[in-house]
């Protein structure tokens, strides 16, 4: 996130339905998760989620299941954030 231009940050935030500040906060939260745990959450999300998935960990939880579908380019951006 820190290496992104303001335009790239705004575009990525818009694709994810977030404000740039929300995207920064989310990236900080993801950076604090142990890599193995993050990988497990991402696998659950890719398989349709489940109880205790990434959404629940990030304060979601109620209101039914939500699925975020990422393109290869977006997933690569997420991968870069978690490195």
């Amino acid at each position: 996130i820190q290496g992104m231009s303001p335009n790239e940050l705004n575009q990525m935030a818009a694709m994810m339905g977030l404000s740039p500040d929300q995207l920064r906060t989310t990236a900080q939260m993801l950076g604090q998760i142990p890599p193995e745990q993050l990988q497990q959450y991402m696998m659950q999300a890719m398989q349709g989620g489940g109880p205790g998935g990434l959404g629940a960990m990030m304060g979601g939880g109620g209101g039914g299941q939500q699925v975020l579908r990422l393109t290869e380019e977006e997933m690569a951006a997420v991968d870069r954030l978690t490195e």
Side-chain angles (χ1 to χ4, degrees):
I1 291 287
Q2 293 139 353
M4 296 174 82
S5 73
N7 188 39
E8 291 172 323
L9 182 68
N10 289 335
Q11 287 178 352
M12 181 177 227
M15 283 189 285
M16 299 176 79
L18 302 172
S19 72
D21 287 336
Q22 290 172 319
L23 178 57
R24 283 186 200 96
T25 301
T26 301
Q28 289 173 347
M29 290 172 58
L30 291 173
Q32 295 173 1
I33 299 172
E36 303 81 24
Q37 188 177 10
L38 180 60
Q39 184 177 14
Q40 180 182 16
Y41 288 136
M42 294 304 290
M43 293 300 292
Q44 288 176 350
M46 299 295 278
Q47 295 172 357
L54 187 60
M57 181 198 67
M58 294 178 69
Q65 182 178 23
Q66 294 183 0
V67 177
L68 177 64
R69 301 200 190 283
L70 302 177
T71 64
E72 287 184 35
E73 182 179 309
E74 293 164 340
M75 191 64 207
V78 171
D79 289 338
R80 286 192 302 274
L81 292 173
T82 60
E83 291 177 352

